[in-house]
Each structure stands twice: as C-alpha cells, then as structure tokens.
Amino acid sequence: MPHVLLTGFAPFGGESTNPSWEAVQALEGEVVAGHRIVARCLPVEFDASLHALQHALDELVPSLVICVGQAGGRAQMSLERVAINVIDARIPDNAGAQPIDEPVAADGPAAYFTSLPLKAMLAALRNAGFPAEISQTAGTYVCNHVFYALMHALRGLPGVRGGFVHIPYSPAQAALHAGAPSLPSTVVAQALRLAVGIALTVEHDVWMGGGATH
Amino acid sequence: MPHVLLTGFAPFGGESTNPSWEAVQALEGEVVAGHRIVARCLPVEFDASLHALQHALDELVPSLVICVGQAGGRAQMSLERVAINVIDARIPDNAGAQPIDEPVAADGPAAYFTSLPLKAMLAALRNAGFPAEISQTAGTYVCNHVFYALMHALRGLPGVRGGFVHIPYSPAQAALHAGAPSLPSTVVAQALRLAVGIALTVEHDVWMGGGATH
Amino acid sequence: MPHVLLTGFAPFGGESTNPSWEAVQALEGEVVAGHRIVARCLPVEFDASLHALQHALDELVPSLVICVGQAGGRAQMSLERVAINVIDARIPDNAGAQPIDEPVAADGPAAYFTSLPLKAMLAALRNAGFPAEISQTAGTYVCNHVFYALMHALRGLPGVRGGFVHIPYSPAQAALHAGAPSLPSTVVAQALRLAVGIALTVEHDVWMGGGATH
Amino acid sequence: MPHVLLTGFAPFGGESTNPSWEAVQALEGEVVAGHRIVARCLPVEFDASLHALQHALDELVPSLVICVGQAGGRAQMSLERVAINVIDARIPDNAGAQPIDEPVAADGPAAYFTSLPLKAMLAALRNAGFPAEISQTAGTYVCNHVFYALMHALRGLPGVRGGFVHIPYSPAQAALHAGAPSLPSTVVAQALRLAVGIALTVEHDVWMGGGATH
C-alpha cells in the first residue's frame, strides 16, 4: 500500500511537548484513500531535521508528504503557501545553531510553492468546522527550512505532493502563555486526516480566495 | 442536595450556536463537592436575561452561581474580576434593544467585584492545563449586564458566591471567523467543572498576581 | 485664571522616557477656554503618586483634572471609563512595591466612573483625525490607582471633572519593542489640547456608542 | 545627477488618502548621498501599476528603487524581504480586477528576495528611533505584485537595488478604524530619507537577526 508521510517536530523553545508530533502520531498507521499514514518526528535542528526528512523520503517513497509544525501564537491551522530559501533564526535550534540570512539550499531557487491543493483543503476544513487559513509565510526558522527542503527534494517528482501546516499551541501549552490561543491536538489530528484525504483525491485545486492585502 | 447554578447564553451576533450554553449544559445534573449542578440558558436580551436569572435564583436558591458567556476573539477562558453599572451596547440584543450609557440598576453602585476565589480558580485551571486568565473588564453588553445584576441580587446573601466567566469561540465558530482563536466546549466544560469545585471548597482566595498594567 | 491640571508619569518598566509626561509638559501654561493648563509629573509609585496628586489638587484647586499614562501596546488614545478599587501589580512600582489584590482606598466604593464627557471627547478627537477609543479598563496598576484616587478625591466636588487617558508608546519607544504600535507625543499633545477644550465646554455628554461586547 | 525612484500608491479599499504617497511625495526633489529623489504615484490596479512602474524605470534609469505601500493594521514600518509570484486578491483592485492564484509573471521564478541591505536599514531606523521590522511576506495583493514586478524588471541590472516598504495607517485613517495602529506620514518620510541613504551607501549588509520562528 502506498504511503503518506506526516512529520511532526520535537519540543523546542522551552516547551516540554510539541503538539505537532502528538497530532501526527495519532494518525500513524491509519489508511486514508488507499494510503497508509506513516508518522515521523523530526528534530528541531537545522541540519538533523533534513537528514531525518531525507531518510524518511528514501525509505518510504511516499505519495504525499505533509510536514506539521507548531506556531505558538497563531490561532488557526495555517496551510502554508510558500517556502523561502533563507534561514534567519530568532532563537537557536535544539543543537544550538542560529544561522542568520543563510540559504537553506545554496543551489536552490528563492522559493517553492506548495504542491498541495491548498484551497480545496481550506474549504474542506472550514466546512467541517475546523478553524483554518492560508498563510503566506512559514517564517524563517526550522519549519520553513524543512518545508523548503521538502519541496527541493520533491522537485524532480511531479506526482508527489508536499506541503506544510502550522498549528497553534495545545491548550496545556497555552495555559503557560497568558493570552495565547490554542487548539487541542485531537482536533488537529482530525483536521489533518481530512486534509490528507483531500490532498490525495482532489486533482485540480478549487478557485477560492485565500490571499492577504499585505 | 444544594445547587450550583451555571448559566449559558443563547446564540447572538449572527452565530447559530453559543458554546457557553453547550458547555454548561454538558454539566447539568453533575454532582461536585456535594452540590448538584443546574444549567440554565439565558436569552441575549437585556430585559429578559435578568428575569430568567432572577427566576432561576428564586427557584433554586443556589449556593454558587457562575454565569458563562461567549467572548468571540478572546483566546483563553476569562475569569471576570468586576462588573460595572453601565450598558453601552455596540450591537442590538436579540430583542432589538441597544441601550447606550444607561445603568444596569439605577439604584446600584458603580461596580461589584466577583465573590469567586478568582486566583485559586486561575491557579487550578492552569495547573490542570486549561488556558485561563483574569479579565479586568466584562465589557458593556449583555454579559456584563447579567454579571452586574447577579452580584446586585446576591448583595444580601454573603454566603453565596457569584461570578462570570467568558469563553472563546468554539472551533466550528472560528472556522467562520478567519484568524480567530477557539476552545472546544468539551474543554470548557471540563475547566468549568474544576472551577466549580474550587469555588465550592476554597475558603480564602490565594495570593497570586493576575493584574494588568493597563 | 482657573486651572486645568494635567498629569503625566515618570518613566517605568525599564523605559527611559514617558511620553505621557512629554505630552502634558508641552501644554504647560497654555490657555484653553479661559483656563490655564498646569502640568505635573507623578512618580510611578503607589504611595508617592497619590501624595503628589493630592498636593497638586490642594495647591491648584483645578476646575478640571485629566491624568495621562502610558499603555505600551495599545494603538490608540484610550479614554478611560471607569476606575476600580483594586491594586494587582504585575510588576513592582518604581519604589519596589507590588501590592496584589489590595484596595486603593479601604473605605471607597468598588469603582468610580469618570466625570469627563467621554463620548463628546471621542467624537471630537475622531473628527479631528486623532485615533481614539473608549476603554472599559484602566488596568490594576499605578494608572488605575491614580485614576481611582482622583475620582475619590473629587467625590465631594461635583463641579470638578476628572478622568484618565491612556496613550500608546512613542515611536522611539516602539523602535525598541518589535511590532508595537506608537503615537508621537506631539500628536498626543494636540489631541489632549482638544480634549481639554471639550471637557471644559461641553455640559451634557453626547449620545454615542463606545461600548464593548466583552 | 543619478536618481532614486520612490513610489507610493493611490488610495484604495475605501480610504480617501494613501499615506504612502504623502510620505514619498514629501521627499520629491531631495538629494541624498548624491542622488536626487523622484516620487511617483502608482495606481492600485494590477495592470496599470506595472505600466506606471515600468514607465518610471525607463524614464529615470534610477540607481535605487523603493516602492512604498500601505498595510493598514500593521504597527511598524515593514521592510519586506521577499516578493512571491502569485496574485490572490482579497478585494478587487481600483479597476475592479480580482485575480486569484495567478502569477505576476508567467515566466518568472517563485520569488525574488529584495536587493536592499535590509538589516542595515533596520538597524539604522531603530537607532534613530523609528519603529521598524523585517517582514517575511508582502501579501498577495497589488503591493506584492509591484514588488515582484520590480525585482523581475531589475533582474538584469545587478547594480540597481530594489525593494518594498509597508507602512501603517496615518493617525487620521486610524481615527476611522477603531483599535488600529498608526504612524504619521511625516515620521514615515523621515524614516524613508534615512533608509534611502543607507541603501545608497552600505555596500554589504550587516549580520543581524530579523527572522520569525513562524
């Protein structure tokens, strides 16, 4: 049976958990539209994350890859539109590295757009009652780094869709961050299951606004 | 068995549901610390809400009253500190009334502080992983109106604690409000159960900061 | 000539300036509607601020008092509606005091409403192009403390109006707080001059919404 | 004398002014580091804006181009890092066009990075007391469209730097948008003058963080 690769991240930035990993782990082994979901946890390290990602891609040869990361402070699930070829780390990664204004891939283009049917996913999530939005930036930290590297790795494989989804804090994390929004990882897992199904079955993305005036 | 009165609200402002009612309704009939929870739904109408509240107070003679209302846009459960004696309605209530700069009670003081042990509730909620905060304003709409009227009604009953809790959108509501934070009503219900237990059993509130510089 | 007392605050919270003082100082000696403006700087200390305020009230016997304080993070000028009788200090004051859940005045009521014609001031400010809003909470720190104490001191003087206005960071302060909004103290001073004129000349406040649903 | 081209935009989105044009217009004719500033106003129309931009580039053959646009709701001056090759218009442009998920340039790459020394500009602005930040997205509307087209036009001209700066509402605009931050166009003009000088004289950008974790 073909594979879907879902990745989450290890905790970082002083957190003791990372709901991105909890959410994708909950889907491990599930079958969606004839594909088996495999969940992998990536380290929050610029170098090691790419090795772990490439290892999973080589081992599983997945039909679809969605990387999931935490965006503490965002209120909704963010379907990322574009990965940019830059690292500008506001805090050190878990290995202590903090590159500034360095490329993810020295030989890569300035950016890659996701190959997920983003608008179809957005419509399906909202219709099902999941708070979701299109995001025009995945930041410049490990999440964008992994997203860019994923699209760079998939550039020769036009049939394999890839993309990135940012998620809010979990309620338990938000309990430690006064005023911060949250979404339980159980809700995130349900939303991801739905998103995987759309990404596997919708051939042409729908025509629907999701932009930002700035 | 003595009663705890929990109130939620009917939908308003164009919403088709109100998670404040869903959350308290889920606790109907539960027994916490020797008290039975009774849940009541208040109309989002300045006049009718107070009649419904007074009716419930007269009928149940509760030992504890917590009114719950929705604060679309807030990210965490808000434990309200103070109710003020003013109505300044930004939108009409469900009966079409939109008073501006009128008192809730013509003969009442400018404000009432909650009689709930707010800091003990805050500490317990956070320790249990529920995102919560103290709020210094309940607004000037029906929620503050009901909160003020509750404290006005309880002023002669020193043994009966009362207060107000604002909650975020549900995820399904937030799916219709791009960028808005949410909290599932199931999570809210669990947090309220815990809060009720604290309010019934903690005699003296704890010493813990919960203020705002502005 | 009768006096208008405008107070600003000394720097606090790690800032090296306080635009509330810069703005009111710029108006020192100006004559508005037959009243001379006197500007005074209050210390950001719970005890000393009240002594300085009372001293100015005793000395000047002003016809109007507007205290101005900084609300770093707010985007517009905030006309405060209500002062509450509580101190809950999130950070120590400049003398190191950090009271929690203590009253401003042990013998005072729960709150005082401003006696300024808030809506007339709001309308005039907006019409003149100044970003302003009504605020339903002045916090629980020194600003609310001074505001409450002012209204407590004026309670026996029905002809003397008093109130509080919160202002944003200055641009130079915001340059040190990534993402924070600002308003130049020159703009604040112009807006305050206009607000003083309204407060001195408008007898009955206008009927205009300025509330919050929560 | 060589030229610096600064562009602002016409009003849009229901506004009657556009402070981006007010700010650059105020610098028209000024000489900075041996270059004369020329200010041009672009229409907020996907097609016409590019014609006007290209016309100005052909006529002036500038050494430096900074396009300035309004980002109502942002609190600080935003130095844009990257332009992406997509239009996803949330509202129609001033000619009624509202493209969704169309490229700016059918033959262009996914994105261009600015060629301005962004971090040197950021440091200089902050040191001079101007609130500024790096932005990782210029949106998907006319601003990003013009930014992308500018970098596409400059791709064969390595000695000519180009980029985009987003600015907040003016105070008078914010007076009509409750809660929105603002910055006077006079302050914006001063900041832009400083930024132009840095862009003309700093050869190698400085090493300084300006990223976002997400």
Side-chain angles (χ1 to χ4, degrees):
Chain A
M1 191 180 295
H3 291 127
V4 169
L5 172 61
L6 296 184
T7 70
F9 280 105
F12 73 105
E15 302 290 330
S16 60
T17 60
N18 191 321
S20 68
W21 172 235
E22 294 172 18
V24 303
Q25 191 179 22
L27 300 175
E28 166 75 31
E30 285 199 19
V31 176
V32 175
H35 292 67
R36 187 173 304 278
I37 292 175
V38 179
R40 292 288 162 86
C41 185
L42 303 181
V44 181
E45 303 177 18
F46 287 102
D47 286 347
S49 61
L50 298 202
H51 296 145
L53 175 66
Q54 190 59 53
H55 180 77
L57 293 175
D58 292 343
E59 175 195 348
L60 301 167
V61 194
S63 307
L64 169 68
V65 186
I66 301 180
C67 297
V68 183
Q70 171 156 313
R74 290 199 193 175
Q76 305 205 344
M77 296 187 64
S78 292
L79 312 182
E80 296 294 347
R81 188 194 288 267
V82 63
I84 60 176
N85 192 11
V86 71
I87 308 173
D88 189 350
R90 205 172 54 71
I91 55 175
D93 73 10
N94 284 353
Q98 189 172 9
I100 290 185
D101 293 345
E102 294 183 12
V104 177
D107 63 334
Y112 285 107
F113 287 108
T114 185
S115 50
L116 299 175
L118 229 56
K119 303 297 180 68
M121 291 164 66
L122 178 66
L125 288 171
R126 287 182 174 171
N127 287 342
F130 295 110
E133 60 197 352
I134 306 295
S135 166
Q136 328 299 336
T137 174
T140 59
Y141 194 56
V142 180
C143 288
N144 173 76
H145 178 72
V146 163
F147 180 17
Y148 184 94
L150 169 65
M151 302 315 295
H152 197 55
L154 297 182
R155 72 192 180 286
L157 304 166
V160 183
R161 280 174 163 170
F164 198 96
V165 177
H166 264 121
I167 64 171
Y169 281 132
S170 69
Q173 288 179 304
L176 305 174
H177 295 272
S182 61
L183 201 63
S185 61
T186 49
V187 175
V188 171
Q190 295 166 24
L192 288 175
R193 182 190 294 119
L194 177 59
V196 165
I198 298 293
L200 285 171
T201 57
V202 169
E203 195 170 350
H204 300 292
D205 201 359
V206 299
W207 190 86
M208 170 186 167
T213 47
H214 57 78
Chain B
M1 191 181 294
H3 291 126
V4 170
L5 171 62
L6 297 185
T7 69
F9 280 105
F12 74 105
E15 302 290 329
S16 59
T17 60
N18 191 321
S20 68
W21 171 237
E22 295 172 17
V24 303
Q25 192 178 22
L27 300 175
E28 165 75 31
E30 285 199 19
V31 175
V32 175
H35 292 67
R36 187 173 305 277
I37 292 176
V38 179
R40 291 288 162 87
C41 184
L42 303 181
V44 180
E45 303 177 19
F46 287 102
D47 285 346
S49 61
L50 298 202
H51 297 145
L53 174 66
Q54 190 60 54
H55 180 77
L57 292 175
D58 292 343
E59 176 195 348
L60 300 168
V61 195
S63 307
L64 168 68
V65 186
I66 302 181
C67 299
V68 183
Q70 171 156 314
R74 289 199 192 175
Q76 306 206 345
M77 296 185 66
S78 292
L79 313 181
E80 297 294 348
R81 188 195 288 266
V82 64
I84 61 176
N85 192 11
V86 72
I87 308 173
D88 189 351
R90 207 172 52 73
I91 56 175
D93 73 9
N94 285 353
Q98 189 172 9
I100 290 185
D101 292 345
E102 295 182 13
V104 177
D107 64 333
Y112 286 106
F113 288 107
T114 186
S115 51
L116 298 176
L118 229 57
K119 303 298 179 67
M121 290 164 65
L122 179 66
L125 288 172
R126 288 182 174 171
N127 286 343
F130 296 109
E133 60 198 351
I134 306 296
S135 165
Q136 327 299 336
T137 174
T140 60
Y141 194 57
V142 180
C143 288
N144 173 75
H145 178 72
V146 162
F147 179 17
Y148 184 94
L150 169 66
M151 302 315 295
H152 196 57
L154 298 181
R155 72 192 180 285
L157 305 166
V160 184
R161 281 175 163 171
F164 198 96
V165 176
H166 264 122
I167 64 171
Y169 282 132
S170 69
Q173 287 180 304
L176 304 173
H177 295 272
S182 61
L183 201 64
S185 61
T186 49
V187 175
V188 171
Q190 294 166 25
L192 287 175
R193 182 189 294 119
L194 178 58
V196 165
I198 298 294
L200 285 170
T201 57
V202 169
E203 195 170 350
H204 300 292
D205 201 1
V206 298
W207 190 86
M208 170 185 166
T213 46
H214 56 78
Chain C
M1 192 181 293
H3 290 127
V4 170
L5 172 61
L6 297 184
T7 70
F9 279 105
F12 73 103
E15 302 290 329
S16 60
T17 60
N18 191 322
S20 69
W21 172 235
E22 294 172 18
V24 304
Q25 192 180 21
L27 299 176
E28 165 74 31
E30 286 199 18
V31 176
V32 176
H35 291 68
R36 187 174 304 279
I37 292 175
V38 178
R40 291 287 162 86
C41 185
L42 303 180
V44 180
E45 303 177 20
F46 287 103
D47 286 346
S49 61
L50 298 201
H51 296 145
L53 175 66
Q54 191 60 53
H55 180 76
L57 293 175
D58 293 343
E59 176 196 347
L60 300 167
V61 195
S63 307
L64 168 69
V65 185
I66 302 180
C67 299
V68 183
Q70 171 156 314
R74 291 199 192 173
Q76 305 205 346
M77 294 186 66
S78 293
L79 312 182
E80 296 294 348
R81 188 194 289 266
V82 63
I84 60 176
N85 192 11
V86 71
I87 307 173
D88 189 350
R90 207 172 53 72
I91 55 175
D93 72 8
N94 284 353
Q98 190 172 10
I100 290 184
D101 292 346
E102 294 183 14
V104 177
D107 63 334
Y112 286 106
F113 288 108
T114 186
S115 51
L116 299 176
L118 230 56
K119 303 297 179 68
M121 291 163 65
L122 178 66
L125 289 171
R126 287 183 174 170
N127 286 342
F130 296 110
E133 60 199 351
I134 305 296
S135 166
Q136 327 299 336
T137 174
T140 60
Y141 194 57
V142 180
C143 288
N144 174 75
H145 177 71
V146 163
F147 180 18
Y148 184 93
L150 169 66
M151 302 316 295
H152 196 56
L154 298 181
R155 73 192 180 285
L157 305 166
V160 183
R161 282 175 162 169
F164 198 96
V165 176
H166 263 121
I167 64 170
Y169 281 133
S170 69
Q173 287 179 304
L176 305 173
H177 294 272
S182 61
L183 201 63
S185 62
T186 49
V187 175
V188 171
Q190 294 165 25
L192 288 174
R193 182 189 294 119
L194 177 59
V196 165
I198 298 294
L200 285 171
T201 59
V202 169
E203 194 169 352
H204 299 292
D205 202 0
V206 299
W207 189 86
M208 170 186 166
T213 47
H214 56 80
Chain D
M1 192 181 294
H3 291 126
V4 170
L5 172 61
L6 297 185
T7 70
F9 280 105
F12 74 104
E15 301 291 330
S16 60
T17 60
N18 192 321
S20 68
W21 171 236
E22 293 172 19
V24 303
Q25 192 178 21
L27 300 175
E28 166 75 31
E30 285 199 20
V31 175
V32 176
H35 292 66
R36 187 174 304 278
I37 292 176
V38 178
R40 291 286 162 88
C41 185
L42 303 181
V44 181
E45 303 177 19
F46 287 102
D47 287 347
S49 61
L50 298 202
H51 296 145
L53 175 66
Q54 190 60 53
H55 180 78
L57 293 175
D58 293 342
E59 175 195 349
L60 300 168
V61 195
S63 307
L64 168 68
V65 185
I66 302 180
C67 298
V68 183
Q70 171 156 312
R74 291 199 192 175
Q76 305 205 343
M77 295 186 66
S78 293
L79 312 182
E80 297 293 348
R81 187 194 288 266
V82 63
I84 60 176
N85 192 11
V86 72
I87 307 173
D88 189 349
R90 205 172 54 70
I91 55 174
D93 72 9
N94 283 354
Q98 190 172 9
I100 290 184
D101 292 347
E102 294 183 14
V104 177
D107 63 334
Y112 286 106
F113 287 108
T114 187
S115 50
L116 298 176
L118 230 58
K119 303 298 180 65
M121 291 163 65
L122 178 66
L125 288 171
R126 288 182 173 169
N127 286 342
F130 296 110
E133 60 199 351
I134 305 295
S135 166
Q136 329 296 336
T137 173
T140 60
Y141 194 55
V142 180
C143 288
N144 173 75
H145 178 70
V146 162
F147 180 17
Y148 184 93
L150 169 68
M151 302 315 295
H152 197 55
L154 297 182
R155 73 192 181 284
L157 304 166
V160 183
R161 280 175 164 170
F164 198 96
V165 176
H166 263 121
I167 63 170
Y169 281 133
S170 69
Q173 287 180 304
L176 304 173
H177 295 271
S182 62
L183 201 63
S185 60
T186 48
V187 175
V188 172
Q190 295 166 24
L192 288 175
R193 182 188 295 120
L194 178 58
V196 165
I198 299 293
L200 285 171
T201 57
V202 169
E203 195 169 352
H204 300 292
D205 202 0
V206 299
W207 189 86
M208 171 186 166
T213 47
H214 56 77

